[in-house]
Amino acid sequence: IKIIFCIKMEDDSESEYITCRVVLLGEAGVGKTSIISRYVSNTFSDVLMSTTGASFAAKKLELDDEHKIKFQIWDTAGQERFRSLAKIFYQNAAVAVLVYDITRRDSFEKLKEFWIKELKENAPSDIILALAANKSDIYEQEVVSLKEGKELAQEINAIFKSTSAMLAHGIDELFKLIGEKFINPSLNTNEPTMSSQEEEFRKNIKINNNKKAKTESKKG
């Protein structure tokens, strides 16, 4: 297995932190690496090499004075030839984040056809599931609606979050929800299909896109 990157954590007292092993799963190109990069180092790149095998990163989250979490985050390759390797990481994971690209129907269907079944058969029975509807910055091209994503999340009892690694939308919130669920497994993380925050986010994108279109039209 090739480790692509490893980000060291701060030298705080490790005893104060509870370790939470998180694995990201999904098809190639859905943005798993970008989500991790945005969350851990607040960076984003349009050009990323496909993950080979798996890569590791880490970050600490302080929910409050009493609840401090040390995330160990594993990014797995989405290509079919690496699927057997992914099992190594989710067999002992506390959390599995299933990522799909809202503009690619196949990436959503593969979660239902393969990844969810794999987790049911091979992951710990109490594993926390999260569903990340990624690339919300291009929601106007979406082929998988928020309603569909939310329904799948409810069906598998998963946290649901619309995310954009490019615009840093929903990433911190996703891991905060994961942390809260990890500390309190009985926590209800259901939210409306379209939250007010998501409505505002999409509205701003549409406004910006309209402005760009008008500017380009004038140039032409």
Side-chain angles (χ1 to χ4, degrees):
I1 299 167
K2 184 179 180 181
I3 304 301
I4 306 301
F5 60 86
C6 179
I7 299 176
K8 292 183 179 180
M9 294 173 290
E10 307 91 322
D11 293 324
D12 295 340
S13 174
E14 296 294 319
S15 62
E16 297 179 5
Y17 290 81
I18 304 173
T19 299
C20 177
R21 186 183 178 110
V22 182
V23 60
L24 273 71
L25 303 169
E27 296 303 291
V30 296
K32 301 185 295 296
T33 303
S34 294
I35 287 174
I36 295 173
S37 180
R38 176 61 77 182
Y39 180 61
V40 173
S41 59
N42 195 28
T43 58
F44 176 83
S45 173
D46 282 323
V47 182
L48 284 174
M49 297 291 290
S50 294
T51 302
T52 304
S55 60
F56 172 81
K59 185 170 181 175
K60 291 177 178 177
L61 173 67
E62 296 187 9
L63 293 173
D64 52 47
D65 290 338
E66 294 183 6
H67 301 111
K68 300 177 181 181
I69 300 170
K70 178 172 58 180
F71 285 122
Q72 294 180 346
I73 309 169
W74 287 94
D75 177 15
T76 61
Q79 297 96 325
E80 192 167 344
R81 66 182 184 276
F82 292 120
R83 283 180 177 175
S84 60
L85 290 175
K87 190 180 297 185
I88 297 171
F89 301 99
Y90 58 71
Q91 279 182 326
N92 298 310
V95 182
V97 182
L98 297 157
V99 185
Y100 68 94
D101 177 345
I102 64 172
T103 70
R104 284 175 49 196
R105 168 66 59 178
D106 68 298
S107 69
F108 183 70
E109 295 301 327
K110 283 289 172 58
L111 293 185
K112 296 191 290 182
E113 296 169 4
F114 180 79
W115 291 109
I116 291 172
K117 290 180 181 179
E118 276 290 297
L119 289 171
K120 286 181 179 179
E121 293 175 3
N122 300 297
S125 59
D126 60 349
I127 193 169
I128 296 167
L129 299 179
L131 195 60
N134 199 35
K135 304 192 182 181
S136 57
D137 50 285
I138 48 174
Y139 85 90
E140 290 176 310
Q141 300 173 37
E142 74 178 0
V143 295
V144 182
S145 68
L146 275 179
K147 184 174 183 290
E148 287 181 275
K150 184 64 177 176
E151 287 175 350
L152 178 60
Q154 291 177 332
E155 182 182 324
I156 62 175
N157 191 30
I159 295 165
F160 179 81
K161 202 67 189 175
S162 173
T163 60
S164 167
M166 174 180 274
L167 299 182
H169 171 69
I171 307 293
D172 287 346
E173 292 88 344
L174 171 65
F175 280 91
K176 184 173 184 291
L177 284 170
I178 288 171
E180 291 172 343
K181 186 79 171 178
F182 178 67
I183 295 296
N184 181 12
S186 63
L187 183 70
N188 183 359
T189 56
N190 288 336
E191 62 177 23
T193 299
M194 179 77 81
S195 65
S196 57
Q197 181 187 27
E198 190 65 28
E199 286 180 350
E200 187 66 22
F201 175 75
R202 292 189 167 208
K203 180 181 176 182
N204 289 336
I205 286 178
K206 190 170 185 178
I207 291 171
N208 290 335
N209 286 346
N210 287 339
K211 287 180 180 178
K212 288 179 183 177
K214 288 179 181 178
T215 301
E216 290 173 1
S217 177
K218 289 179 181 179
K219 289 180 181 179

